[in-house]
Amino acid sequence: MDKNTIIGFVLIAAVLIGFSWWQQPSAEEIAAQRTQDSIAQVVKAKAEQDKKAAQAAKEAQAKAAAQNDSTSAFFTAMKGTAQNIVLKNKKVELTLSTKGGTIVKAIVKNFKNYKGDQDVTLFDEKDQSLRFLLAGKETNIITSDLFFTPSNVTDSTVTMTAVAGEGKQLTLDYTLGKDYMLHMSMQAQGMSGMFAPNYSQMDVEWSDRCRQQERGFNFENQRSALTYHFTDGGTNYLNEQKEYVDKEIDKETDWVAFKNQYFSAVMITKGHFATNALMTSMPLEKESKYLKQYAAKLKTQFDPTGQTPSEFEFYYGPNDFRLLQEVEKQSTFGKELQMERLVYLGWPLFRIINRWFTIYVFDWLTSWGFSMGIVLILITLLLKVITFPLVKKSYMSSAKMRVLKPKFDEATKQFDKPEDQMQKQQAMMQMYSQYGVSPLGGCLPALIQMPIWIAMFNYVPNAIQLRGQSFLWMKDLSTYDPIIEWGKDIWLIGDHLSLTCILFCVANVLYSWMTMRQQKDQMVGQQAEQMKMMQWMMYLMPLMFFFIFNEYSSGLNFYYFISLFFSAAIMWTLRKTTNDEKLLAILEAKYQENKKNPKKQGGLAARLEAMQKQAAELERQRQNGYKK
């Protein structure tokens, strides 16, 4: 390649590069081109999306047309206008909607809510939904999508009918009883060909936002729980404080209740709800004015042939133990439903006390026309009378220890060294046995009262008889009685100070001081030192009680206050009527008698002495083994 050829190629390249540079678009032209390209892409994507939507609509239309021609669809019942039908009696008012054919509003009459409304609205259409799902061959039938035609309408009856076609319909029959029980039957007619030959169960989906009905939100929320009854007996519930979403229940159930503190909505099936039911309970925030979000996904029997209707009963009413027992008798299912378990009475021991004592006493006292405040005072007195013999025996045991304390101190003063504590205990046990006293006798009052206190702790907050009842300064014994409120929650305290809670805690401090002083008078040596730590614990307990019970009902705090007052009065009276000199003389006589007849010594003190001697012998053998 010669020189001229090379120069020619260079000139051509320079011309091409210069022309390309000269033809390059400006920054504005580049931006405009990019915008144009983006618009083109959007237009193209929109066209593709419209094409897909048109295809999907076409397919859906074809499917709907096919279903419309099929005998398994209720298209004739999926159009209409919702209409409300009201069933009512003196106790309850229930509103049914022709859209879905189920209860959309439940009002319990003659029970005020915390706002002062005359009646309690358990739920309305915004809060609650109930639907039945039937799995057909071609499509699912969902009752909430259907419009029913009402007939046979009275204050206590209505028949809801959804027509699928000629000779094909779904019928819901409702009958309201004299109290709070509503009976419902669901029956298919001419629809057997719409389901698989082995189809025998339908799905039931029920949900509800449980409304706040009482003044104390936290207190009510702690006593509101989704509860269910097992077919083979017994009830259970989802923990009130925890959140559950679709918790699986592995046993068959008879009924499910959406329960708050004093009212419940219960759905009962004639057959049973199958295993693997899914239950949901989610606590809600105080500001929402709702306690819980409840939901239940259930399966129960359904006969597509219509020969056997699916039957349900619904209870919308108060959680009243005796009322629930009576309403259960109105059930046509012939089951032992145990609906009274909606009134929580505590663990087995405390439930027995409440079931067979507390409730009967309350019934008896209220039958005399006493106000609930007087009933609480009288039942406290009755319990004190019943337990007085044991309390007196316990007090006398403490009194014996008190008058013998100088003798115990004198007899054990030589055992002051730490290594002599075993000998000191042996000496004391021997003296307990010789004088016929028990060092544990003074603990009996607490052991006696504790089961009763816990039983009342479970009963009083769940006794609807106290709801709305006033006494002295307490406007409502079922909720707290504030002396001051500030509208915003403070940690551990809440938004108020309850007067009865303060009285209870002060009474607890005074009663603890009296009991600790009495026990201190009978303690010997190291026991007295240990008692100092116990004193601080006993004085701190009322403070802890304040943070717990400030939210609790004034009725419960008042009961505890009265109980402590009477306990202190009994203790003071026994102290004043006990002659220490005479008691000491009796013990000295007992000591001389036991000294002459060692075989007569017995009781707890003697057994403790024997255990102490056995322990001492083992310790001696162990020490001898080390020396060898």
Side-chain angles (χ1 to χ4, degrees):
M1 183 179 294
D2 58 12
K3 181 179 178 182
N4 293 330
T5 303
I6 294 174
I7 294 173
F9 278 120
V10 171
L11 291 174
I12 292 172
V15 170
L16 290 174
I17 293 172
F19 182 78
S20 299
W21 177 80
W22 181 65
Q23 291 291 331
Q24 183 179 0
S26 63
E28 292 80 3
E29 290 175 332
I30 292 173
Q33 183 63 37
R34 287 178 178 174
T35 302
Q36 187 175 358
D37 292 342
S38 299
I39 294 172
Q41 290 177 358
V42 171
V43 171
K44 183 178 179 181
K46 183 67 169 58
E48 292 178 356
Q49 185 179 359
D50 291 343
K51 184 178 180 181
K52 290 179 180 179
Q55 182 65 27
K58 185 177 180 181
E59 291 176 358
Q61 186 177 4
K63 184 177 180 181
Q67 290 178 341
N68 194 30
D69 293 337
S70 172
T71 58
S72 65
F74 271 73
F75 277 87
T76 55
M78 295 181 69
K79 298 178 181 179
T81 303
Q83 176 185 353
N84 287 338
I85 306 296
V86 177
L87 304 181
K88 59 183 179 180
N89 56 28
K90 294 181 180 180
K91 304 292 182 64
V92 69
E93 181 178 304
L94 306 175
T95 302
L96 296 90
S97 175
T98 56
K99 175 69 183 300
T102 56
I103 304 295
V104 294
K105 186 176 184 180
I107 296 176
V108 182
K109 298 181 178 180
N110 305 317
F111 286 93
K112 292 183 179 180
N113 62 13
Y114 74 102
K115 297 178 181 178
D117 299 332
Q118 184 61 38
D119 302 319
V120 166
T121 301
L122 290 185
F123 59 80
D124 59 22
E125 63 276 4
K126 301 189 301 295
D127 307 327
Q128 187 259 12
S129 69
L130 172 62
R131 62 180 187 170
F132 302 91
L133 293 80
L134 309 174
K137 291 179 181 178
E138 303 293 336
T139 186
N140 293 335
I141 300 169
I142 305 175
T143 56
S144 59
D145 295 335
L146 306 180
F147 286 87
F148 290 79
T149 302
S151 60
N152 188 30
V153 179
T154 68
D155 283 346
S156 60
T157 62
V158 64
T159 299
M160 298 279 196
T161 306
V163 179
E166 186 176 353
K168 298 178 179 63
Q169 62 184 33
L170 188 66
T171 303
L172 308 178
D173 274 309
Y174 290 94
T175 303
L176 178 62
K178 64 178 182 178
D179 289 319
Y180 302 95
M181 190 77 85
L182 175 71
H183 185 274
M184 169 197 164
S185 68
M186 174 187 291
Q187 191 168 19
Q189 298 178 18
M191 295 171 55
S192 57
M194 301 164 64
F195 301 94
N198 60 346
Y199 185 74
S200 61
Q201 282 189 331
M202 65 176 171
D203 290 276
V204 182
E205 293 185 357
W206 188 28
S207 65
D208 179 32
R209 280 195 305 168
C210 182
R211 292 188 176 192
Q212 177 185 353
Q213 305 291 355
E214 313 305 325
R215 184 176 188 178
F217 178 89
N218 294 331
F219 189 67
E220 183 182 9
N221 208 354
Q222 293 168 6
R223 281 150 188 80
S224 303
L226 190 153
T227 307
Y228 45 92
H229 181 265
F230 297 118
T231 301
D232 57 3
T235 58
N236 202 353
Y237 61 94
L238 302 185
N239 188 293
E240 305 94 332
Q241 306 297 321
K242 297 182 180 179
E243 181 175 305
Y244 299 89
V245 177
D246 288 343
K247 176 180 172 59
E248 187 172 315
I249 309 301
D250 58 1
K251 296 177 67 176
E252 294 178 347
T253 53
D254 282 329
W255 53 258
V256 177
F258 293 164
K259 171 184 176 295
N260 65 4
Q261 184 178 2
Y262 291 122
F263 301 93
S264 289
V266 187
M267 178 167 57
I268 311 161
T269 181
K270 185 174 183 178
H272 60 265
F273 293 121
T275 57
N276 304 321
L278 302 177
M279 307 289 187
T280 295
S281 175
M282 295 188 294
L284 302 177
E285 296 297 327
K286 183 176 182 179
E287 293 73 18
S288 69
K289 303 301 182 182
Y290 288 92
L291 305 171
K292 299 279 197 314
Q293 175 66 57
Y294 291 137
K297 298 177 182 178
L298 313 161
K299 290 182 181 293
T300 191
Q301 295 84 347
F302 176 74
D303 181 7
T305 68
Q307 295 180 2
T308 304
S310 299
E311 295 187 64
F312 301 88
E313 288 175 334
F314 297 87
Y315 174 82
Y316 303 105
N319 300 328
D320 184 318
F321 189 91
R322 295 300 188 198
L323 173 64
L324 288 166
Q325 286 183 318
E326 291 299 318
V327 168
E328 184 173 320
K329 297 176 183 178
Q330 301 173 20
S331 173
T332 61
F333 296 164
K335 294 182 176 183
E336 188 175 350
L337 297 173
Q338 297 180 301
M339 288 179 61
E340 69 275 5
R341 291 288 187 93
L342 288 171
V343 181
Y344 183 70
L345 299 178
W347 292 351
L349 172 62
F350 312 120
R351 183 166 63 240
I352 291 172
I353 295 173
N354 286 325
R355 174 68 180 83
W356 301 107
F357 175 78
T358 310
I359 291 177
Y360 280 97
V361 173
F362 263 78
D363 291 345
W364 176 61
L365 293 175
T366 53
S367 68
W368 288 84
F370 296 122
S371 69
M372 292 312 301
I374 297 297
V375 168
L376 288 172
I377 295 174
L378 292 177
I379 197 172
T380 306
L381 279 172
L382 180 60
L383 289 170
K384 295 303 178 184
V385 170
I386 293 173
T387 58
F388 179 76
L390 293 176
V391 171
K392 183 178 180 181
K393 184 178 180 179
S394 174
Y395 173 81
M396 293 307 298
S397 179
S398 298
K400 291 175 183 179
M401 297 291 292
R402 183 181 69 250
V403 298
L404 290 173
K405 184 177 182 298
K407 292 183 176 294
F408 289 161
D409 290 338
E410 180 66 24
T412 60
K413 66 180 181 180
Q414 69 269 27
F415 304 114
D416 289 335
K417 297 179 181 179
E419 60 268 21
D420 296 335
Q421 291 305 307
M422 180 66 74
Q423 292 176 290
K424 183 175 184 178
Q425 291 295 325
Q426 288 179 354
M428 290 177 60
M429 288 300 164
Q430 184 177 4
M431 293 188 69
Y432 290 152
S433 178
Q434 290 172 338
Y435 280 101
V437 297
S438 172
L440 301 180
C443 301
L444 193 58
L447 297 177
I448 295 170
Q449 295 186 66
M450 191 59 67
I452 297 173
W453 273 47
I454 297 176
M456 295 298 288
F457 176 83
N458 287 293
Y459 179 75
V460 172
N462 295 302
I464 196 171
Q465 292 83 356
L466 273 68
R467 188 178 187 272
Q469 298 295 312
S470 62
F471 183 67
L472 300 178
W473 68 89
M474 296 165 281
K475 296 180 180 180
D476 187 347
L477 290 169
S478 70
T479 188
Y480 56 82
D481 57 322
I483 55 174
I484 184 173
E485 294 181 275
W486 47 82
K488 186 177 181 180
D489 281 348
I490 297 177
W491 185 62
L492 291 179
I493 297 178
D495 59 1
H496 66 276
L497 289 178
S498 174
L499 178 56
T500 50
C501 178
I502 295 173
L503 291 175
F504 161 50
C505 293
V506 171
N508 204 349
V509 170
L510 296 175
Y511 181 73
S512 297
W513 175 77
M514 291 182 65
T515 55
M516 296 302 293
R517 182 180 178 183
Q518 176 179 315
Q519 292 177 7
K520 184 179 180 181
D521 291 341
Q522 68 188 49
M523 295 299 175
V524 180
Q526 191 176 12
Q527 292 178 336
E529 294 298 321
Q530 294 173 348
M531 181 56 65
K532 293 180 180 180
M533 181 63 69
M534 184 66 70
Q535 284 179 333
W536 285 108
M537 293 178 61
M538 294 297 291
Y539 292 144
L540 285 175
M541 281 184 65
L543 179 62
M544 293 187 293
F545 282 157
F546 170 77
F547 294 118
I548 296 172
F549 285 86
N550 192 47
E551 286 277 353
Y552 275 58
S553 65
S554 57
L556 182 64
N557 281 318
F558 181 70
Y559 165 76
Y560 284 154
F561 168 69
I562 294 297
S563 180
L564 286 170
F565 174 81
F566 286 132
S567 295
I570 291 171
M571 185 181 298
W572 182 84
T573 303
L574 289 173
R575 182 70 179 87
K576 290 296 183 181
T577 56
T578 300
N579 189 316
D580 288 357
E581 294 181 359
K582 289 183 178 180
L583 182 59
L584 182 59
I586 294 172
L587 291 172
E588 289 291 354
K590 183 74 172 178
Y591 173 79
Q592 295 299 327
E593 181 182 355
N594 288 334
K595 193 174 182 180
K596 294 178 182 178
N597 301 285
K599 292 183 179 180
K600 294 185 63 178
Q601 298 179 23
L604 177 62
R607 290 192 293 273
L608 289 174
E609 181 184 2
M611 292 172 63
Q612 289 280 357
K613 289 181 179 179
Q614 185 179 7
E617 178 63 23
L618 292 173
E619 178 66 18
R620 186 184 64 78
Q621 293 176 3
R622 186 175 66 84
Q623 293 293 339
N624 291 337
Y626 285 152
K627 291 178 180 180
K628 293 179 181 179

